[in-house]
Amino acid sequence: MGLLDDLRNAPSPDGVRPCKLGVALSQMNDDVSSEIKRIMDSIVSLEGVYTASWLARQLSNYGFRMNHQSILRHARGECCCANR
């Protein structure tokens, strides 16, 4: 049996895990997560001075390791969290 057969016959995953940013937001208090969401809205709308790289560095300083692409995917609703 080959890879193709295994892929076709494998059971589906039991659900979708949140992305790295989704996990981080779930571990933060409401005030912090609300502020991060406000900053992400500013990043996506290209209004303001924030960038996804800046936010990734800030989160990294507090142990939440992710890159700017993870932040952009989450902010745009393109990550696995959007399917939840």
Side-chain angles (χ1 to χ4, degrees), residues 31-43:
D31 291 338
V32 175
S33 64
S34 292
E35 183 64 11
I36 289 173
K37 290 174 186 175
R38 184 190 69 76
I39 290 169
M40 287 190 309
D41 288 343
S42 174
I43 291 168

Side-chain angles (χ1 to χ4, degrees), residues 61-77:
N61 289 338
Y62 290 89
F64 299 104
R65 305 241 182 250
M66 66 194 73
N67 63 32
H68 70 284
Q69 292 291 18
S70 296
I71 291 170
L72 289 173
R73 276 192 300 273
H74 186 90
R76 293 177 181 151

